[in-house]
Amino acid sequence: MLRSVKIFWKAFFIAVAAFILFLLLCNWGVFGKMPSIEDIQNPSASLSSQVYAQDGTLMGKYYLEDRVNVDYKDISPNIVHALVATEDQRFYDHSGIDFISLLRALKGLGRDGGASTITMQTAKNLFTENWATRNFLLRAIQKVKESIIAVKLERNFTKQEIINLYLNTVAFGDNVFGIRNAAKTFFQKEPDRVNVNEAAVLVGMINAPTLYNPRRNPKQALERRNLVLNRMVTNGYLTAQDAAKIKMEPIELNYKKLDETTGLAPYFRMILGEYMKVWCKNHKKSNGDEYNLYTDGLRIYTTLNPRMQIYAEEAVAKHMSYMQQILNQQTNIKKGTVWDGHQNILESAMKQSDRWRNLKKDGMNDADIRKTFFVPTQMRVFAWNNNREKDTTMTPMDSIKYSRQMMQAGFMALDPLSGEVRAWVGGIDFKTFKFDHVNYNTKRQVGSTIKPLLYSLAIEDAGFTPNTIVQDVQQSFGAYGMVPATSTSCTGASIPMAQALAFSRNCATAYIMKQLDPKGNNAAIRFVDFLKNKCGLQTNIEPHPSIAIGACEISLYEMMQAYSMFPGRGFNVKPLFITRIEDRNGNVLENFAPIRKEVISDITAYSVIKMMEGVVEFGTARGLKMQFDVSGNIAGKTGTTNDNSDAWFMGYTPQLLAGAWVGCDDRFIHINSSSYNGQGARAAMPIWGYFYEKVLKNANILGIDANVDFSKPEGMANDIELDYTNPTPNVPIGVEGDQQLMGNGTSQDYVPADIKPEDLAPESQIDTNKLPGLSPNKKNNNTPKLPAHQQPIPKAILPKKVGGNH
């Protein structure tokens, strides 16, 4: 044998041995981690967690990569045929590596097409990293690793399973991964309903998701779709005639991508996400790792009703656009004088802005940064139009003022028996204003909406009845001073407690508070104990007597729980917004059930209900049935705080409890205190009215019956008869205790300077069983009861019914 031949064969075998060694080293993970057999048999990719509404509607997702798995049987054959014809026409004939494509790629150096098979691309998507590197050596190593993994995949999975794995992991651009998300995002279809045209568009995107994205590059996407159709014809999946017809069709997108700002109930999903992060930290997977909300593909089933949620969002938008017009017409808003004395807030907002942070990061000094905030700039801001935004030119400082002058709202609805939350609207526009006004951490002064809670304690523990006579007189609480702070609104009249609630008499309410402990200073402590340990409020409320008329800050979320005891027949229920959580495979990780506890007797609850029905029929909320097309048994309470800074309405029926709050984030920005427009009946109650109006129009679908009565407790022989003859006709009805004159005040209005916080006994040190109580005069009111049509009815000033977005 010639020496040259010997050298050739020696070199050949050395090369073969070196290549085999190289393959073994790659397989052993010397050139980067390789998946184990267990990993290959149980492949996993980052999956987005999905949030579902009560009826199974997909509301939104939490993800790093927007990916959701789908079974092979739920993928249209059109997609499978388009994929095989375009990406790997010999897919069903090879074992992971297509040697014909490999030789073609080597011969043309990739100019005539690549050598990757569907199986190799699946391996790349699932198990390899840095696959987009431009380093030739690293890319070659990656290709070898992909090939080895591809062979192993072929040994462990069927062809259908490999296609399923591939379609669940491939990228489609716009941070959309997997065929199900792609079909839903671009066409609002499930993948089993995709036609040939749509399948060709989706498969065409795989090669270059950005270039062939039909939303961004429609011309290139159309050309790529036609190429896919041609390959389907070549491979026998489509006739030439059918392909020609489809090529004449345009690409009709129905693009809608679910992200944090889109989808149903974005405020609710933000709060839910924070809850789920804590849940994930406290729950472990079988391998001991914590669950990851963004990658583990959890399925979160919530209690939200899509129809009610939409009605709630529409009600907020309709009324708040109207309220914003009223605020914008005020002189102090037009002239900007509302900001006099509040430059510190503007300064803080300026330094917390993205503009300030970015310029600071670029090295600009504070003085120069500040100057940029007074230079007119083109920008996009929130606006009450169909798009909820507009392009305009204003200085960055003016944009800060503009956004902070927007009136905000919070609205929540739930089933009062189960506590299941049906609707949650945390603000006027989540895209622009992320702060949630329903959440437990958002506290606002509650005003007169706290009165039904006090009245229920008076009935339960102090022997009051709705007909107990109370004195509408300013009350002294010793060292704490007088409540209310001024006697301006006190009529001096003796009236039934039901009237005091209906007409929201502050002085009479202070009298009721005083009767919880007429000889000492423990009445407020007793009430705070009731709010915390019975009503479920977690807010730390200082035991100042002024809390009787709402001079304390509580969240809408907590007020909803507290109010649930009335339609709940004495049982308080914690708001429930999740029914169950499942893992990616549908295994139930946790079920959630209502948490109810008895707070007051059903007789007390029914007594308060009857009084609160009087609020709606005769009192401060009488405009509800006059202005809106609502009927049936409705009980409620309005609330207004100092200078109209906070407006509330809490209302319920036997089947539904809902609450609304309206105000500005900065309390000094408000409807003029002399205007009825800022009262709870004008500023907050219409949201409730618009919402319930739509609920009743779809009552059969929603399972709501306006004819259902509040259940009268067993043992009550006769219903409660109440007298709502206005004993003080010169005092306006519809005003929160004449608050346009004096308001509720704050807790600090009632604490003398010589009393320190440490002098106030903590609740935990008070034995509420030993607190004195007094059964007040229980004699019936002897005032003759007039027929309803003869009762004095002052003209109510209400917003006009308007269409559109108002």
Side-chain angles (χ1 to χ4, degrees):
M1 185 179 296
L2 296 176
R3 178 179 177 81
S4 59
V5 176
K6 289 181 180 181
I7 294 173
F8 168 79
W9 284 110
K10 185 177 181 180
F12 174 78
F13 285 115
I14 290 174
V16 170
F19 181 69
I20 293 174
L21 178 62
F22 174 68
L23 292 178
L24 291 173
L25 292 173
C26 287
N27 188 47
W28 294 335
V30 174
F31 299 109
K33 183 180 179 181
M34 287 286 282
S36 64
I37 293 297
E38 183 180 357
D39 291 333
I40 290 175
Q41 291 175 338
N42 300 281
S44 64
S46 172
L47 289 181
S48 59
S49 292
Q50 302 167 85
V51 181
Y52 294 96
Q54 181 189 27
D55 64 351
T57 300
L58 180 63
M59 295 171 54
K61 306 172 188 176
Y62 305 105
Y63 57 82
L64 298 178
E65 295 178 346
D66 189 2
R67 176 187 286 116
V68 178
N69 282 348
V70 63
D71 294 334
Y72 181 85
K73 64 181 176 61
D74 296 321
I75 300 174
S76 168
N78 297 325
I79 295 173
V80 176
H81 295 161
L83 174 67
V84 173
T86 306
E87 295 295 321
D88 190 357
Q89 60 183 338
R90 284 177 289 276
F91 173 72
Y92 294 106
D93 301 321
H94 62 66
S95 297
I97 302 173
D98 185 355
F99 290 100
I100 296 175
S101 296
L102 179 60
L103 292 173
R104 183 195 65 217
L106 292 173
K107 180 180 178 181
L109 298 177
R111 290 189 298 270
D112 300 323
S116 289
T117 62
I118 289 175
T119 315
M120 291 173 66
Q121 292 181 55
T122 303
K124 176 183 69 177
N125 293 340
L126 284 172
F127 300 112
T128 61
E129 300 173 352
N130 300 322
W131 54 268
T133 179
R134 295 179 179 274
N135 185 297
F136 176 79
L137 180 60
L138 291 178
R139 188 69 189 109
I141 292 174
Q142 290 294 88
K143 276 294 182 184
V144 173
K145 291 168 65 177
E146 289 171 16
S147 300
I148 295 172
I149 298 171
V151 172
K152 292 181 179 180
L153 286 173
E154 290 277 353
R155 290 179 178 178
N156 285 276
F157 295 96
T158 66
K159 290 291 185 178
Q160 286 186 352
E161 290 171 334
I162 291 172
I163 284 182
N164 194 46
L165 281 173
Y166 176 75
L167 287 172
N168 279 330
T169 56
V170 69
F172 287 89
D174 290 356
N175 198 28
V176 172
F177 293 79
I179 190 63
R180 184 171 189 266
N181 273 1
K184 290 286 288 182
T185 299
F186 287 93
F187 299 108
Q188 295 303 297
K189 288 185 175 183
E190 290 293 339
D192 61 342
R193 299 175 182 269
V194 170
N195 61 36
V196 176
N197 184 349
E198 294 160 344
V201 172
L202 293 173
V203 171
M205 294 172 62
I206 291 173
N207 186 261
T210 300
L211 178 62
Y212 299 129
N213 187 318
R215 184 175 65 91
R216 298 183 178 185
N217 302 303
K219 183 175 182 296
Q220 291 89 335
L222 187 66
E223 294 172 351
R224 181 67 179 176
R225 179 204 66 178
N226 293 342
L227 174 63
V228 173
L229 293 173
N230 290 338
R231 291 187 177 176
M232 292 179 72
V233 171
T234 301
N235 287 275
Y237 294 118
L238 190 66
T239 66
Q241 293 83 357
D242 289 339
K245 290 180 182 178
I246 296 173
K247 287 179 184 178
M248 299 297 293
E249 299 175 6
I251 298 175
E252 295 184 356
L253 296 179
N254 187 5
Y255 186 90
K256 185 179 180 182
K257 189 174 190 301
L258 288 180
D259 57 27
E260 67 168 7
T261 62
T262 62
L264 205 61
Y267 285 100
F268 169 76
R269 285 186 282 115
M270 177 183 69
I271 301 301
L272 176 65
E274 295 305 310
Y275 173 88
M276 286 302 303
K277 288 176 187 176
V278 175
W279 185 94
C280 288
K281 286 184 178 180
N282 295 328
H283 292 76
K284 308 291 184 182
K285 293 184 281 189
S286 57
N287 62 3
D289 293 339
E290 295 177 358
Y291 281 97
N292 188 310
L293 178 63
Y294 299 99
T295 61
D296 282 337
L298 299 175
R299 302 173 189 173
I300 308 156
Y301 294 88
T302 74
T303 63
L304 252 69
N305 183 288
R307 284 179 181 269
M308 288 193 187
Q309 179 64 32
I310 291 171
Y311 298 159
E313 293 178 0
E314 289 175 346
V316 168
K318 184 173 185 177
H319 184 59
M320 293 311 296
S321 60
Y322 169 82
M323 291 302 299
Q324 192 64 47
Q325 292 179 41
I326 293 176
L327 180 64
N328 290 346
Q329 291 169 5
Q330 291 184 180
T331 302
N332 63 344
I333 298 296
K334 288 181 178 180
K335 294 184 176 181
T337 55
V338 70
W339 292 102
D340 291 352
H342 301 288
Q343 293 302 315
N344 59 321
I345 292 177
L346 295 176
E347 183 78 10
S348 176
M350 178 175 64
K351 291 184 176 180
Q352 292 175 8
S353 67
D354 290 337
R355 173 184 291 272
W356 184 282
R357 283 193 291 265
N358 293 334
L359 293 177
K360 192 75 172 177
K361 190 181 297 183
D362 291 340
M364 188 179 292
N365 62 55
D366 289 2
D368 289 337
I369 294 176
R370 192 181 306 276
K371 291 178 182 178
T372 69
F373 278 81
F374 297 90
V375 177
T377 306
Q378 287 187 339
M379 61 181 68
R380 182 168 294 174
V381 297
F382 170 82
W384 278 117
N385 55 31
N386 291 333
N387 296 323
R388 297 294 188 268
E389 61 184 15
K390 67 177 181 181
D391 293 318
T392 187
T393 299
M394 64 173 68
T395 68
M397 178 55 70
D398 284 339
S399 75
I400 292 174
K401 295 178 181 178
Y402 176 84
S403 64
R404 297 187 80 93
Q405 288 166 190
M406 283 292 166
M407 295 195 72
Q408 294 292 338
F411 181 85
M412 184 181 185
L414 55 75
D415 182 318
L417 299 181
S418 68
E420 295 184 353
V421 177
R422 301 301 184 214
W424 180 309
V425 183
I428 59 174
D429 180 63
F430 184 77
K431 184 178 180 180
T432 307
F433 305 100
K434 296 291 192 293
F435 189 73
D436 183 275
H437 297 87
V438 173
N439 184 24
Y440 161 76
N441 292 319
T442 306
K443 322 277 187 188
R444 295 293 296 224
Q445 196 175 121
V446 295
S448 296
T449 56
I450 205 168
K451 291 175 182 176
L453 307 181
L454 174 65
Y455 286 34
S456 65
L457 176 60
I459 294 173
E460 185 79 0
D461 287 359
F464 278 64
T465 72
N467 285 312
T468 296
I469 301 301
V470 298
Q471 306 301 317
D472 193 28
V473 178
Q474 187 183 30
Q475 300 294 308
S476 172
F477 286 86
Y480 290 96
M482 305 296 289
V483 179
T486 171
S487 61
T488 306
S489 64
C490 298
T491 65
S494 297
I495 57 177
M497 185 166 71
Q499 285 191 21
L501 185 64
F503 305 142
S504 202
R505 305 312 307 167
N506 280 346
C507 304
T509 301
Y511 171 85
I512 293 171
M513 174 76 134
K514 184 71 175 287
Q515 304 317 302
L516 295 178
D517 179 21
K519 296 180 180 180
N521 294 319
N522 289 328
I525 297 175
R526 189 171 186 175
F527 187 33
V528 167
D529 179 76
F530 175 73
L531 294 174
K532 179 178 180 181
N533 296 319
K534 292 293 187 69
C535 299
L537 301 187
Q538 299 179 45
T539 296
N540 181 32
I541 301 175
E542 295 292 342
H544 305 299
S546 60
I547 62 176
I549 52 177
C552 54
E553 297 184 350
I554 305 172
S555 67
L556 174 56
Y557 181 94
E558 293 173 285
M559 290 297 286
M560 291 289 288
Q561 179 174 349
Y563 264 65
S564 68
M565 67 183 176
F566 303 131
R569 303 169 191 171
F571 282 82
N572 174 291
V573 63
K574 186 176 182 179
L576 176 70
F577 47 85
I578 303 176
T579 55
R580 73 181 185 277
I581 300 172
E582 296 178 353
D583 66 12
R584 65 173 64 193
N585 299 314
N587 299 311
V588 177
L589 301 176
E590 185 171 358
N591 284 308
F592 297 81
I595 301 176
R596 304 179 73 223
K597 69 173 183 178
E598 189 170 10
V599 176
I600 54 178
S601 69
D602 56 349
I603 294 178
T604 297
Y606 189 71
S607 298
V608 177
I609 288 171
K610 300 306 289 184
M611 289 194 293
M612 294 181 72
E613 283 184 312
V615 175
V616 174
E617 295 293 337
F618 307 103
T620 58
R622 66 184 304 168
L624 181 64
K625 290 187 176 180
M626 296 169 58
Q627 177 68 12
F628 302 96
D629 187 15
V630 296
S631 60
N633 295 283
I634 302 174
K637 185 68 190 79
T638 55
T640 315
T641 67
N642 270 31
D643 299 321
N644 292 338
S645 293
D646 301 274
W648 292 76
F649 182 72
M650 304 291 294
Y652 56 88
T653 70
Q655 297 174 300
L656 193 64
L657 166 64
W661 166 87
V662 170
C664 288
D665 287 332
D666 296 307
R667 286 174 170 81
F668 61 86
I669 304 176
H670 51 73
I671 303 294
N672 285 336
S673 57
S674 60
S675 171
Y676 288 117
N677 288 316
Q679 296 282 318
R682 290 293 305 274
M685 190 175 71
I687 296 177
W688 202 101
Y690 288 131
F691 168 76
Y692 194 57
E693 207 174 44
K694 287 203 169 184
V695 167
L696 289 185
K697 288 179 180 178
N698 293 273
N700 292 336
I701 298 174
L702 296 172
I704 299 295
D705 185 354
N707 296 317
V708 172
D709 294 328
F710 289 107
S711 298
K712 186 171 69 174
E714 295 182 6
M716 286 188 68
N718 300 311
D719 208 342
I720 299 173
E721 294 291 335
L722 300 176
D723 177 14
Y724 287 100
T725 304
N726 184 8
T728 53
N730 294 326
V731 177
I733 296 177
V735 181
E736 297 297 316
D738 208 16
Q739 287 166 2
Q740 84 278 16
L741 297 176
M742 43 69 65
N744 288 327
T746 67
S747 60
Q748 298 308 310
D749 293 334
Y750 305 92
V751 183
D754 58 345
I755 290 185
K756 300 178 182 178
E758 56 266 28
D759 295 330
L760 300 174
E763 303 164 36
S764 59
Q765 297 176 13
I766 300 297
D767 185 351
T768 56
N769 293 321
K770 295 181 180 179
L771 292 178
L774 177 68
S775 298
N777 186 358
K778 297 182 181 179
K779 65 180 180 179
N780 292 328
N781 181 17
N782 295 320
T783 304
K785 184 173 182 180
L786 298 177
H789 70 276
Q790 294 181 11
Q791 295 184 18
I793 303 177
K795 183 178 180 181
I797 304 175
L798 299 165
K800 296 179 180 179
K801 276 195 173 184
V802 292
N805 292 322
H806 298 287

